[in-house]
Amino acid sequence: MDITSTLQDYHLLGLVIGICTFLVIGLFHPVVVKCEYHYGTSCWWWFLLLGCACTILSLIISDILGSTILGVVGFSSFWTIKEIFEQQERVRKGWFPRNPKRRYPWDNDASV
């Protein structure tokens, strides 16, 4: 008996998927902050590759729980691409710390 059928027997699958989704989204927030701080927006393509890989794997895997979690990670990765660019804007506004070792697009802009 596998974990998915056990969870389905007790009607807990939705609860477990919800908890995992909450954890994945919670994990991606500090990842966005750290990636933007260290690498800027140039790391967006990492999340594109991760999102594509997880989405493809979610289509291949037959286990409902595994497929769903991979789908959540995949689409959270796609959403992270947008968040990386928004995080850079939050840094520009001073809401998050700026990495003193990096140059930012607005560094050459005299109006800011």
Side-chain angles (χ1 to χ4, degrees), residues 1 8 10 17 20 30 38 43 45 54 65 78 84 86 88 97 110:
M1 189 187 245
Q8 285 174 333
Y10 290 103
I17 290 170
C20 291
H38 292 288
C43 64
W45 61 272
C54 287
L65 181 61
F78 294 143
I84 287 284
E86 288 184 1
Q88 182 176 357

Side-chain angles (χ1 to χ4, degrees), residues 22-44:
F22 178 77
L23 293 173
V24 166
I25 292 169
L27 173 73
F28 270 80
H29 175 70
V31 167
V32 166
V33 173
K34 294 292 184 187
C35 283
E36 193 287 325
Y37 183 85
H38 292 288
Y39 307 106
T41 57
S42 64
C43 64
W44 70 269

Side-chain angles (χ1 to χ4, degrees), residues 7-106:
L7 291 172
Q8 285 174 333
D9 289 343
Y10 290 103
H11 305 285
L12 297 174
L13 188 58
L15 181 64
V16 170
I17 290 170
I19 290 168
C20 291
T21 301
F22 178 77
L23 293 173
V24 166
I25 292 169
L27 173 73
F28 270 80
H29 175 70
V31 167
V32 166
V33 173
K34 294 292 184 187
C35 283
E36 193 287 325
Y37 183 85
H38 292 288
Y39 307 106
T41 57
S42 64
C43 64
W44 70 269
W45 61 272
W46 300 347
F47 297 103
L48 179 65
L49 293 176
L50 178 63
C52 289
C54 287
T55 302
I56 290 168
L57 285 172
S58 77
L59 294 171
I60 294 171
I61 292 179
S62 62
D63 179 63
I64 294 172
L65 181 61
S67 177
T68 303
I69 299 306
L70 282 168
V72 168
V73 171
F75 280 89
S76 293
S77 297
F78 294 143
W79 186 264
T80 298
I81 296 169
K82 173 186 153 312
E83 285 296 318
I84 287 284
F85 290 95
E86 288 184 1
Q87 179 65 18
Q88 182 176 357
E89 182 61 21
R90 292 187 283 264
V91 170
R92 188 188 70 76
K93 291 178 179 178
W95 298 351
F96 280 84
R98 171 190 168 112
N99 184 344
K101 297 178 183 176
R102 279 197 318 109
R103 291 188 57 84
Y104 288 85
W106 60 86

